[in-house]
Amino acid sequence: MSVEELDPLNSLLTNVLTRLSNLEAAAGITPEAAKSAATSTATSATSEPATASPALVAYDAYITTRLQPFVQTCVELGDPDLLKITKSITQSWGDGIRTIIEAASLCQKPKGTNVAEALQKLLTPIQEAISSIRKIRMKNRTFDNHQRSIMELMAALGWVVIVPPPQGPVAFTKEAIGATEFWSNKIRKEFRGKNETQIKFCDAAKALIYDLVAYIKEFHLTGLTWNPKGGKLEEYTPGASPAVNAAPVKKPAGGGGGPMAIMNELSKKQTSDGSSAATGLKKVTRDMQTWRKEFKADTSKVVSAPSPSPSIPIQKKYSGGGGTGTIRKHAPVLQYEPMGNKWKVEYQTKDSSKGKPLEIKVKDVKEQVYLYQCNDVTVIVSNKLKNIIIDKCTKCNVVFDTVVSSVEIVNSQKVQVQTKGVCPSITIDKTDGFLAYLSKETVNSIEIVTSKSSEMNVSWEEANGEMKEAPIPEQFVSRFGNGVLKTDVSDLYH
């Protein structure tokens, strides 16, 4: 390539440099200052440790915009016991979780061990803070619902030890939204139009949990993000960064930049016969450029879709209320997770349970039971608990004593539940086939909410001892008149 052929490129680069010089002059940057700044940056890049990770910076911003306003609202309510709770919130939500995120950003993921076990030392302050909140007994009963709402928020902090499959940290954190809003809505109902600070507390709690979900979704979608080039977690201490085992930054061998450096590089690529890096490339004509009207698509070549990989074992096809799909083969799970106060019952089948009921004995009213992708099993829950969630299950039966919050059934088929005590609410979503056996304590106070579901029935015992069953309506008639839309249950149910 001759010098004449390089003239257009040389002119283009000169034009770019001229524009950059004009911008520097407009910003008040002299060439000496720019050179000094560049030298300082290069030196710091090779001699100083890396700056805070984006995940840590984003969490600091989250603390400032969401956690601090929530704590300030709690202080404004003026209750001494609530003030003690705010200190524990700051200790766990602010300092505790931030320390874990910082540790993950500076350390490699521990190998051959459970994440919760590896982080146990850093989790201890958080567990102590949650325990202290639970032990506080509110002298002013007006703030009981506030304490319960905060406890539901604190359960979401277990996301740092959640690793899929089957459940990711985003789904885990979302579970706290409904329970938190259950108690917040009671506060709204009591103080709406009477005390704006109380409503502000509910809004701040909602923003706190929703923005936490957004943060996790962006930076920790598949679990806590670790630094593959970081140090060992065992050597980490809060406030002290372990050595990062990254390769040292090599300084460029060239003596400078600019158009002449590019010309030198291009000349190095040229061989003795005149060939260069562009020699042999096919010329792209106008009919090959897709954005031009002259473009002619070549339909003679058909790209075949890749065949599915046989390496993933498929257990069966699942057809639930939420649609059809394939279920990967997983080991059955029946275990208790202290961080979320949750019993996990997952991938259980008639074979894994040996045809016998799975029994769960609840020890604390704060505990909850979560069933996920179970098939043809019966679960018996003893003692009083917070709530029960049945997700993507088929032909499952759940018998329980008393729930404080609700029973939720979603994306399931042929599910039966029986309450022997009190159940204030049942929520059914995208489910085909549901039957609830209600106790005498529940039959006159329960609330049932349904959405996109069918074949739902309720059974209860009448005063004469006979069982009665009635369908839950799934067909409605809406009439519009006098500017008002009125919806009634179809005559089929009368």
Side-chain angles (χ1 to χ4, degrees):
M1 185 178 290
S2 63
V3 177
E4 289 79 5
E5 293 174 329
L6 292 175
D7 283 342
L9 179 59
N10 196 2
S11 300
L12 176 62
L13 292 173
T14 302
N15 189 19
V16 171
L17 291 175
T18 302
R19 292 185 179 184
L20 287 174
S21 300
N22 293 337
L23 289 173
E24 290 177 349
I29 301 175
T30 62
E32 292 76 10
K35 183 176 180 180
S36 175
T39 304
S40 175
T41 302
T43 304
S44 61
T46 57
S47 61
E48 296 181 4
T51 58
S53 70
L56 186 60
V57 173
Y59 193 77
D60 287 339
Y62 165 76
I63 291 175
T64 303
T65 58
R66 293 306 179 201
L67 181 62
Q68 292 179 2
F70 175 73
V71 171
Q72 180 61 32
T73 304
C74 294
V75 173
E76 292 175 3
L77 291 174
D79 183 75
D81 293 328
L82 198 60
L83 187 61
K84 296 177 183 177
I85 291 177
T86 59
K87 295 180 180 178
S88 298
I89 294 174
T90 305
Q91 175 187 343
S92 56
W93 207 295
D95 301 335
I97 296 297
R98 188 192 184 281
T99 300
I100 292 177
I101 295 174
E102 181 186 52
S105 68
L106 296 172
C107 304
Q108 298 179 12
K109 184 176 181 180
K111 297 181 180 179
T113 182
N114 187 285
V115 175
E117 294 177 359
L119 292 173
Q120 186 56 48
K121 181 179 178 181
L122 301 178
L123 288 172
T124 300
I126 301 175
Q127 294 170 340
E128 292 175 351
I130 294 176
S131 178
S132 65
I133 296 176
R134 186 181 290 114
K135 291 178 181 178
I136 292 177
R137 295 292 178 261
M138 309 298 288
K139 297 181 180 64
N140 187 345
R141 308 304 294 179
T142 304
F143 294 96
D144 278 352
N145 290 333
H146 299 70
Q147 184 183 22
R148 294 189 178 101
S149 179
I150 290 172
M151 281 305 304
E152 300 298 345
L153 283 173
M154 301 301 288
L157 297 183
W159 71 266
V160 293
V161 298
I162 300 299
V163 179
Q167 188 183 37
V170 173
F172 174 85
T173 309
K174 283 183 177 180
E175 291 177 3
I177 294 178
T180 301
E181 292 188 343
F182 176 82
W183 299 109
S184 295
N185 288 339
K186 289 181 177 291
I187 300 172
R188 293 179 189 273
K189 184 177 180 180
E190 182 179 356
F191 293 99
R192 183 178 287 112
K194 301 176 183 178
N195 190 331
E196 286 302 319
T197 306
Q198 299 282 0
I199 305 303
K200 184 180 176 182
F201 169 86
C202 300
D203 294 339
K206 183 176 181 180
L208 183 68
I209 187 66
Y210 271 91
D211 277 24
L212 178 62
V213 171
Y215 166 79
I216 297 172
K217 190 173 183 179
E218 182 174 356
F219 294 99
H220 308 279
L221 183 61
T222 58
L224 193 63
T225 302
W226 299 83
N227 185 353
K229 297 182 180 180
K232 294 182 179 180
L233 181 62
E234 297 80 8
E235 301 174 359
Y236 169 79
T237 54
S241 303
V244 179
N245 301 325
V249 179
K250 295 182 179 180
K251 296 184 178 181
M260 292 307 299
I262 297 178
M263 298 301 110
N264 293 334
E265 287 297 319
L266 289 175
S267 62
K268 291 178 183 178
K269 301 295 182 181
Q270 191 171 6
T271 60
S272 57
D273 60 352
S275 301
S276 67
T279 301
L281 294 180
K282 184 178 179 181
K283 180 177 177 60
V284 180
T285 58
R286 295 175 68 88
D287 61 334
M288 297 180 184
Q289 299 171 0
T290 56
W291 66 90
R292 297 187 182 277
K293 62 181 181 179
E294 295 90 351
F295 172 70
K296 297 178 182 179
D298 187 1
T299 58
S300 61
K301 297 180 181 179
V302 180
V303 180
S304 59
S307 58
S309 173
S311 60
I312 302 175
I314 302 300
Q315 183 182 26
K316 64 176 184 176
K317 287 281 185 176
Y318 169 77
S319 177
T324 60
T326 58
I327 299 179
R328 293 187 177 185
K329 200 169 184 178
H330 294 280
V333 177
L334 175 57
Q335 65 181 22
Y336 176 69
E337 291 186 349
M339 277 299 295
N341 294 326
K342 180 194 296 184
W343 284 93
K344 293 174 63 176
V345 186
E346 299 173 346
Y347 306 109
Q348 293 285 350
T349 63
K350 187 176 182 179
D351 295 334
S352 65
S353 63
K354 299 180 181 180
K356 299 180 180 179
L358 302 174
E359 297 186 6
I360 297 176
K361 293 184 179 180
V362 176
K363 297 181 180 179
D364 192 335
V365 70
K366 304 290 185 181
E367 296 177 10
Q368 58 180 325
V369 174
Y370 177 69
L371 278 73
Y372 180 74
Q373 286 199 7
C374 295
N375 181 36
D376 199 10
V377 295
T378 298
V379 180
I380 300 177
V381 184
S382 304
N383 302 324
K384 189 176 182 180
L385 74 160
K386 185 176 71 173
N387 71 318
I388 298 173
I389 300 174
I390 304 172
D391 186 7
K392 290 186 180 180
C393 295
T394 306
K395 297 198 304 183
C396 289
N397 308 313
V398 180
V399 183
F400 58 93
D401 291 339
T402 296
V403 295
V404 176
S405 178
S406 66
V407 176
E408 301 177 24
I409 302 96
V410 59
N411 293 329
S412 299
Q413 277 191 324
K414 299 180 181 178
V415 173
Q416 296 186 15
V417 299
Q418 178 181 352
T419 171
K420 296 188 290 183
V422 178
C423 177
S425 175
I426 296 179
T427 302
I428 311 167
D429 184 25
K430 299 177 184 177
T431 297
D432 298 323
F434 170 79
L435 176 59
Y437 295 94
L438 305 181
S439 63
K440 294 180 180 179
E441 295 88 344
T442 299
V443 70
N444 293 321
S445 60
I446 191 170
E447 176 185 74
I448 301 177
V449 181
T450 65
S451 173
K452 297 181 181 180
S453 301
S454 62
E455 302 176 30
M456 300 171 289
N457 295 276
V458 177
S459 180
W460 68 94
E461 184 180 356
E462 294 189 315
N464 58 9
E466 294 184 0
M467 295 298 295
K468 185 175 182 180
E469 184 171 317
I472 298 176
E474 55 185 276
Q475 186 179 83
F476 305 90
V477 178
S478 298
R479 297 180 177 88
F480 193 84
N482 298 324
V484 178
L485 181 64
K486 185 178 180 181
T487 302
D488 298 310
V489 177
S490 172
D491 294 338
L492 295 173
Y493 300 95
H494 295 295

